[in-house]
Amino acid sequence: MAVDEPTNQDLTVIDEDAPGPPIAVPDSGDAGEGGKLKMIIQLVKKCFGVKDIAAMRLSLPASLLEPMPNLEYWHYLDRPDMFAAINDSDDPFERMLAVVKFVFTKDLKFVHGKVCKPYNSVLGEHFRSHWDVVPATYSSESTQSLSPLVPTSFDSGNAQAHETSSLKSAKSSKSTFSSLSYKSKTGKSPSTAATSPQPFPGVDEVNAQMSTLNLANGEEPSPVRVVFLCEQVSHHPPVSAFYASCPDRHLELAGIDQISAKVSGTAVRVAPGEFNKGLYLSITGGAGQGERYHISHPIAAVNGILRGSFYVTIGESTIITCEGGRPGQKFRTIIEYKEESWLGRAHFLVEGVIYTVHEGETECNEWTKVKHVPHSRVVAVFDGSWRGNIRWRRVGLGSYPGGISSVASSPSPSHITLARGPISTPSASKTSLEHHHDGDYATLVDLSVLQVLPKVVRPLEKQLPCESRKMWAKVTEHLLKKEYSDATKEKIAIEQKQRDEAAERKRKGLQFTPIYFEQSMEKGYSSLTPEGHAAVKEQLKEVPPIP
């Protein structure tokens, strides 16, 4: 979202390339919760009738900002250990189930963290980081529960970690981890902008926890590296491209980040933008070589604006489609987020199905809700809360080798009126049919105990001038000290430099060219340039400094 935050009208800079005049909210001078709420309500009132807030320039007081770059905030890797485990099974059904787990855990910041506004991304700004994690491990004796044996929570007193990444100090580069801010369940006053960052467990502590696992095979787990790179490739509209990979597990993830936002009633509705077509996950080797997963985005809403207690709800569906890989039957997943009632508290309910599809068929493209899927195609069902426990169970034999799909009804109420479809071809799998049947529900993932895993970012002295933390270092430092006026001046200086560079390109008849990603975004993701490949390789070789 294109946002500027001057503390007074004199600091507002007009952007000639913006789609309209800026929507400004002056600083009330009250940095307390009451003052922040009044400013937010003023902003919402001024946004009524605006077709797409994300495409506009908003002028917010610095006191409403989270001290974190936008490119660092959006990365879909809150649990990189789940991402790294996707290709660990020889069973195509279990690989799809692992993708489902990844989808539920990729945005844990919205489960435990607060809603916040990070800095605006500047054209040409980029961010890179990595994680060294042990992939989520499952018991080889039970494919029913698929319970992760790796540590899934990190103690932090009474607080729960969330990835809003309030940096300790822009000047400090001794620690490469983002120092996360915490929001205690028993906290007396939630804050819109983090002001008291607390440390997150460091590399040694995380590795120590992961090395004391009770694995089924008794072997010492080996960590793998997951790397992430993103770059702001467009300013109007604001668009960024991202790429992540885990070479040790032959996994790649890519996509375009762009949102569309609109005030609807007392909430802000957030949907994917024109170029944001979802996540593209590819398996380049191993058991799932050649498989390509497309993960669509649902619709979100930021609620609780009038009360000053913000929370996110999700609506519509996420569709996970698998193509490529070995010839034959594939699996497709529908994750349906249940509509919230206008009255009472939100329940954050979700249900879904995994079902069989065949290469070349198009009928299933119209199935976007659980009730659309014929009984005979369903091989697994799941339900629960996307902020808590999600359970699952197999249905029939369609996900086992040598079996046939069940024509029995799923226990989900949405299946009661489904039409019956043709019997699907059994899948290829190494899982034994012995002792398997329509079993009891088991936990797929319990999001209430999972926490965001901290990322590793190289020290400021090694970062390039357009690297996010380096670019915004002074702004971050002032915000953490609650020096909002100074933070605003530093921020406006950065944005004015961007406008001056844009004006110079326009004068010379030049177009902006991204460094790390190709210009094209039509296919839903941008390919890496040679510079992008070099940056990824550099991040793979990055050695964290000794504390």
Side-chain angles (χ1 to χ4, degrees):
M1 186 183 296
V3 180
D4 296 321
E5 294 77 22
T7 54
N8 56 62
Q9 296 298 323
D10 293 335
L11 292 176
T12 301
V13 180
I14 300 300
D15 190 341
E16 294 180 356
D17 294 326
I23 301 175
V25 177
D27 194 340
S28 67
D30 181 2
E33 296 306 314
K36 292 178 181 179
L37 179 57
K38 290 179 181 178
M39 289 185 284
I40 291 171
I41 293 177
Q42 288 182 44
L43 175 64
V44 171
K45 289 181 178 178
K46 292 188 177 185
C47 288
F48 275 114
V50 177
K51 185 177 181 181
D52 185 3
I53 302 172
M56 303 295 293
R57 285 186 58 250
L58 304 181
S59 296
L60 301 181
S63 58
L64 296 181
L65 286 180
E66 187 73 12
M68 181 183 190
N70 187 62
L71 295 183
E72 181 175 351
Y73 185 72
W74 294 103
H75 54 68
Y76 306 108
L77 288 169
D78 284 347
R79 290 298 299 205
D81 55 336
M82 298 294 183
F83 170 69
I86 287 173
N87 194 29
D88 282 0
S89 174
D90 292 336
D91 185 344
F93 171 76
E94 290 183 7
R95 289 196 295 274
M96 172 59 82
L97 203 61
V99 174
V100 175
K101 287 171 64 72
F102 161 70
V103 170
F104 279 123
T105 59
K106 65 183 176 63
D107 292 311
L108 272 177
K109 62 176 70 69
F110 298 121
V111 174
H112 298 304
K114 63 188 179 184
V115 179
C116 67
K117 173 64 187 81
Y119 310 141
N120 254 8
S121 301
V122 172
L123 191 63
E125 176 188 346
H126 81 280
F127 177 77
R128 60 178 80 176
S129 64
H130 72 264
W131 297 259
D132 292 317
V133 296
V134 176
T137 307
Y138 309 106
S139 169
S140 61
E141 297 180 357
S142 174
T143 57
Q144 176 72 15
S145 64
L146 284 170
S147 300
L149 297 175
V150 297
T152 54
S153 75
F154 299 90
D155 288 334
S156 55
N158 244 346
Q160 290 188 323
H162 62 88
E163 187 66 277
T164 53
S165 237
S166 301
L167 309 183
K168 279 185 176 180
S169 171
K171 293 182 178 179
S172 174
S173 59
K174 294 182 180 180
S175 174
T176 56
F177 276 102
S178 58
S179 175
L180 308 182
S181 62
Y182 291 80
K183 178 181 177 182
S184 172
K185 286 184 177 181
T186 58
K188 295 181 180 180
S189 59
S191 173
T192 303
T195 55
S196 301
Q198 301 294 328
F200 199 84
V203 180
D204 294 338
E205 181 178 347
V206 173
N207 289 340
Q209 290 176 332
M210 289 188 171
S211 66
T212 57
L213 308 179
N214 181 24
L215 295 179
N217 56 16
E219 295 180 0
E220 185 76 11
S222 299
V224 298
R225 176 159 292 189
V226 176
V227 299
F228 175 75
L229 173 69
C230 63
E231 181 180 13
Q232 191 75 8
V233 297
S234 172
H235 186 56
H236 293 301
V239 177
S240 61
F242 66 88
Y243 171 84
S245 70
C246 181
D248 287 343
R249 292 296 190 269
H250 311 288
L251 293 167
E252 295 182 323
L253 182 71
I256 298 294
D257 262 335
Q258 179 196 10
I259 63 171
S260 173
K262 183 179 181 180
V263 175
S264 177
T266 59
V268 176
R269 184 178 184 272
V270 182
E274 175 186 359
F275 296 105
N276 188 344
K277 300 177 182 178
L279 307 181
Y280 294 83
L281 193 158
S282 300
I283 301 180
T284 60
Q289 183 172 2
E291 289 180 351
R292 302 180 304 276
Y293 294 83
H294 175 248
I295 305 165
S296 68
H297 289 301
I299 303 299
V302 179
N303 306 271
I305 294 175
L306 297 182
R307 298 191 304 272
S309 178
F310 308 114
Y311 63 94
V312 174
T313 57
I314 303 179
E316 299 190 9
S317 299
T318 287
I319 309 297
I320 306 174
T321 304
C322 178
E323 296 178 342
R326 299 172 184 173
Q329 176 178 278
K330 305 295 180 186
F331 294 99
R332 194 169 186 259
T333 297
I334 296 176
I335 302 175
E336 183 179 343
Y337 297 92
K338 310 309 290 184
E339 185 176 353
E340 300 288 355
S341 171
W342 286 96
L343 300 175
R345 64 184 182 88
H347 296 284
F348 313 108
L349 298 181
V350 65
E351 68 173 347
V353 293
I354 301 176
Y355 62 94
T356 57
V357 296
H358 305 294
E359 289 183 289
E361 72 171 333
T362 59
E363 178 187 9
C364 62
N365 294 336
E366 304 300 321
W367 301 343
T368 59
K369 293 183 177 296
V370 169
K371 65 182 181 181
H372 295 160
V373 183
H375 292 184
S376 61
R377 296 291 189 99
V378 177
V379 295
V381 295
F382 53 88
D383 60 39
S385 167
W386 61 266
R387 294 185 61 171
N389 186 66
I390 298 174
R391 62 177 189 168
W392 82 286
R393 58 167 284 183
R394 292 186 189 265
V395 176
L397 304 178
S399 62
Y400 299 123
I404 60 173
S405 294
S406 170
V407 293
S409 172
S410 160
S412 169
S414 296
H415 284 77
I416 293 177
T417 59
L418 292 185
R420 299 178 186 272
I423 301 298
S424 59
T425 306
S427 66
S429 170
K430 288 187 177 181
T431 309
S432 173
L433 271 176
E434 186 178 3
H435 304 308
H436 284 298
H437 52 80
D438 286 7
D440 295 332
Y441 276 102
T443 296
L444 174 64
V445 60
D446 187 353
L447 297 160
S448 66
V449 300
L450 290 176
Q451 301 295 340
V452 175
L453 293 186
K455 63 179 74 69
V456 180
V457 181
R458 58 186 185 172
L460 287 182
E461 60 265 21
K462 294 183 64 176
Q463 294 184 21
L464 299 174
C466 285
E467 213 159 332
S468 291
R469 286 194 180 180
K470 182 99 170 199
M471 174 177 287
W472 298 99
K474 292 183 179 180
V475 179
T476 299
E477 182 179 2
H478 287 306
L479 284 180
L480 292 175
K481 293 179 179 178
K482 300 183 181 181
E483 298 168 348
Y484 300 124
S485 178
D486 290 336
T488 296
K489 292 176 182 178
E490 293 289 350
K491 181 179 184 298
I492 289 179
I494 294 172
E495 294 169 336
Q496 186 58 52
K497 182 176 181 293
Q498 175 186 233
R499 297 184 182 99
D500 293 342
E501 291 173 350
E504 183 66 12
R505 286 194 300 269
K506 186 176 182 180
R507 186 183 68 82
K508 293 181 178 180
L510 302 176
Q511 295 291 327
F512 171 79
T513 302
I515 296 176
Y516 302 103
F517 292 88
E518 300 287 351
Q519 191 80 49
S520 174
M521 299 182 289
E522 284 72 18
K523 56 188 176 182
Y525 61 92
S526 294
S527 300
L528 291 174
T529 62
E531 293 83 357
H533 285 288
V536 169
K537 289 180 180 179
E538 184 179 355
Q539 198 65 35
L540 285 169
K541 297 177 182 179
E542 181 73 24
V543 178
I546 300 175

